[in-house]
Amino acid sequence: MLVVAVKPGHDGAIAAIGDRELLFSLESEKDSRPRYSPLLPTTVLDIAEHLGEIPDVVALGGWADLRPRGVVRTGAGYTGIQEPQIGTSRFFGKEVTYFSSTHERSHVYMALGMGERSSAPERTVLVWEGDVGAFYVVDAEHRITRRVPVMSGPGARYSFLFGLADPTFPDTGGKPRLNDAGKLMALAAFGDAAEAGPEIVHVVDRILKQDSMYPAPKVEYQGTVLHNAGVESAECKTAAALLTARIFEAFAAVARAELPEGSPLYISGGCGLNCDWNRAWADLGYFSSVFVAPCTNDSGSAVGTAIDALTACTGDPHIDWSVYSGLDFVEDARPDPATWRSRRLDDAELARALSTGRVVAWVQGRWEIGPRALGNRSLLAEPFGSGTRDRLNDIKQREDYRPIAPVCRVEDLGQVFHETFEDPHMLYFRRVRESSGVRAVTHVDGSARVQTVRESGNPRLHRLLSAFAVERGAGVLCNTSLNFNGEGFINRTSDLVRYCESRGVDDMVIGDTWFERVR
């Protein structure tokens, strides 16, 4: 059975599952298109080019747009866990099953289908994102038996705090920005919730009790200590730490009171990209296990709708998948030999170049699904000099308070970090050993968001890390996404050359070829 599903709205994507294997998950923002792009015709053509047959099931993810005359629904709509719409239709001359379920359900089934199978009689799914904040209890037959609401719009509330402090964010008519949550997560590490005074506590309380964040009610907060205070102000950092703690506490309290203790927890929604919260769920001790997919935000919604359709047709949501389910790199141009000298990649020599401070644009295989580079579309650099972080943030043209993540061989985890659990998708914080000296990837609170690498998971990257371990004593590097600011991953040679030449990156690796800039 071949299922193809589309996700409308922002973070537009299309996904294909064939015989229970994720074949492709293509997000329209990838290939240097604007972040959070809606589904584009080129993305549909991309998947059509790579599939060998017309699908048996065509699935439409639900959505809703706010218009002047009210809410306009797409397919099954945005919220709710009601039964999907199922019927028959024709697709390029073939009779197919038509399926549509809500956006909310796409998150539930994305987490269930990508997570490990469980023999538990009940499983718990948490969906927390821009609009939805609820738990779901799922039985052994993969049916949602109970929805436990906690808080509407936890992600929107979190993003709103950044906009409230940002003088460039409008007082009226604005909506919480999709990229502000990640910035606030970085700023929260600079603050201490225990230091919040009455004025900050009052603002955070108001944000948590606010009826709606659409449009963002910034004008109602004029005169408060946080209104246009500046995102790097002490007040904003303290409020970020307090709001981070308070949102988690609200959800954890409901979990303890309402949900089956000892059940496995599956996390979905954009808040699942908050490594602080993921670590807190793992440390809570209430659930038997915690699973977060690398595409936990809306980038995985098309996959979730496809899994929901698969479940409706077969009774089983589970699929086989790889995080490297995007498209192969497109070699649409040849770097100018007068500027770029090419040679076959030698891991030992590249490790020595990295050790001297060179930054490498690293391209391998198919792009990663989800928003985080995991060794196939990455900028790599040595992790020991604190100046490396500043240089990478300058190359990426982003704020200097943003941390740089490390990538580390599993063999070296105990040497560099206090915790040695594996995290191949870079979704949890852990503490850095001061003795390791990896200053470029140590955030202000002593934490790091690490991608762990096994030889079986990404053998090409593992070989480079092993060579760097020989050179510097530990197989750990800086790893940040290879993209223009405000755009998805670079996926073609012409864009890669333009990027490196404009940002002062003198080394590019494409597969087994190393290009060094000579002028």
Side-chain angles (χ1 to χ4, degrees), residues 1-4 16-19 23 51-58:
M1 177 184 293
L2 177 62
V3 182
V4 171
I17 295 174
D19 296 330
L23 304 177
L51 294 179
E53 58 183 309
I54 294 177
D56 304 294
V57 181
V58 175

Side-chain angles (χ1 to χ4, degrees), residues 243-308:
L243 185 61
T244 299
R246 291 284 299 278
I247 288 177
F248 179 80
E249 288 164 4
F251 279 83
V254 172
R256 291 191 187 98
E258 299 284 344
L259 299 171
E261 185 174 2
S263 64
L265 176 66
Y266 301 77
I267 295 175
S268 189
C271 294
L273 294 174
N274 188 308
C275 297
D276 209 4
W277 283 334
N278 291 343
R279 184 72 252 161
W281 284 119
D283 291 341
L284 188 65
Y286 190 80
F287 298 100
S288 62
S289 61
V290 176
F291 169 78
V292 190
C295 53
T296 184
N297 65 336
D298 277 7
S299 67
S301 179
V303 177
T305 298
I307 291 173
D308 198 1

Side-chain angles (χ1 to χ4, degrees), residues 155-157 159-160 169 174-180 213-217:
R157 296 174 196 275
S159 295
F160 171 70
F169 189 81
K175 294 192 295 185
R177 295 174 298 206
L178 296 170
N179 62 342
D180 284 352
M213 292 291 152
Y214 299 98

Side-chain angles (χ1 to χ4, degrees), residues 136-434:
Y136 310 79
V137 179
V138 179
D139 67 15
E141 282 72 46
H142 318 298
R143 297 171 302 200
I144 302 171
T145 60
R146 190 156 58 102
R147 181 184 190 273
V148 183
V150 181
M151 177 190 299
S152 65
R157 296 174 196 275
Y158 199 71
S159 295
F160 171 70
L161 175 57
F162 188 96
L164 176 59
D166 181 5
T168 69
F169 189 81
D171 273 2
T172 59
K175 294 192 295 185
R177 295 174 298 206
L178 296 170
N179 62 342
D180 284 352
K183 297 177 183 179
L184 196 73
M185 181 176 71
L187 289 167
F190 290 85
D192 183 348
E195 295 180 357
E199 290 181 310
I200 291 176
V201 171
H202 174 68
V203 173
V204 169
D205 281 343
R206 283 185 62 184
I207 291 173
L208 291 171
K209 294 174 183 176
Q210 188 81 35
D211 287 339
S212 174
M213 292 291 152
Y214 299 98
K218 183 173 178 177
V219 68
E220 299 175 20
Y221 290 75
Q222 287 181 343
T224 68
V225 67
L226 285 165
H227 185 265
N228 291 341
V231 298
E232 294 191 64
S233 66
E235 292 83 359
C236 182
K237 293 171 181 175
T238 301
L242 179 62
L243 185 61
T244 299
R246 291 284 299 278
I247 288 177
F248 179 80
E249 288 164 4
F251 279 83
V254 172
R256 291 191 187 98
E258 299 284 344
L259 299 171
E261 185 174 2
S263 64
L265 176 66
Y266 301 77
I267 295 175
S268 189
C271 294
L273 294 174
N274 188 308
C275 297
D276 209 4
W277 283 334
N278 291 343
R279 184 72 252 161
W281 284 119
D283 291 341
L284 188 65
Y286 190 80
F287 298 100
S288 62
S289 61
V290 176
F291 169 78
V292 190
C295 53
T296 184
N297 65 336
D298 277 7
S299 67
S301 179
V303 177
T305 298
I307 291 173
D308 198 1
L310 182 68
T311 308
C313 294
T314 69
D316 183 356
H318 295 97
I319 64 169
D320 296 322
W321 59 276
S322 165
V323 72
Y324 307 109
S325 293
L327 292 179
D328 285 308
F329 192 73
V330 179
E331 297 192 44
D332 65 338
R334 186 72 182 169
D336 183 354
T339 304
W340 295 93
R341 178 179 61 215
S342 67
R343 58 168 161 154
R344 186 167 181 80
L345 173 63
D346 181 289
D347 290 311
E349 290 189 28
L350 186 62
R352 282 193 287 274
L354 285 162
S355 184
T356 64
R358 283 154 70 175
V359 175
V360 176
W362 176 262
V363 173
Q364 301 293 325
R366 296 167 65 177
W367 79 52
E368 304 89 331
I369 62 175
R372 291 185 177 152
L374 299 170
N376 276 19
R377 300 291 184 274
S378 293
L379 280 174
L380 303 178
E382 66 84 19
F384 301 106
S386 57
T388 304
R389 178 187 60 245
D390 297 332
R391 184 182 175 197
L392 288 172
N393 276 332
D394 184 59
I395 289 170
K396 290 174 65 70
Q397 298 180 346
R398 68 179 198 171
E399 300 83 358
D400 59 9
Y401 58 79
R402 302 282 292 275
I404 295 295
V407 57
C408 184
R409 293 190 310 172
V410 294
E411 296 91 329
D412 301 293
L413 286 172
Q415 177 183 344
V416 183
F417 306 101
H418 286 280
E419 298 86 4
T420 59
F421 63 91
E422 294 190 37
D423 182 13
H425 303 134
M426 200 189 289
L427 290 164
Y428 297 86
F429 280 137
R430 72 186 76 209
R431 295 170 298 149
V432 179
R433 290 188 183 276
E434 190 173 348

Side-chain angles (χ1 to χ4, degrees), residues 74-151:
T74 299
Y78 195 101
T79 59
I81 55 173
Q82 62 269 21
E83 288 298 307
Q85 302 170 1
I86 304 177
T88 58
S89 184
R90 295 190 66 79
F91 189 78
F92 290 102
K94 176 182 175 180
E95 186 171 286
V96 299
T97 298
Y98 166 80
F99 177 95
S100 184
S101 62
T102 64
H103 179 71
E104 187 172 345
R105 282 181 63 107
S106 78
H107 279 301
V108 174
Y109 281 91
M110 181 269 291
L112 286 174
M114 296 182 74
E116 292 185 0
R117 290 183 181 271
S118 172
S119 59
E122 291 184 309
R123 286 154 292 164
T124 300
V125 179
L126 166 61
V127 175
W128 53 349
E129 47 123 71
D131 291 281
V132 177
F135 289 103
Y136 310 79
V137 179
V138 179
D139 67 15
E141 282 72 46
H142 318 298
R143 297 171 302 200
I144 302 171
T145 60
R146 190 156 58 102
R147 181 184 190 273
V148 183
V150 181
M151 177 190 299

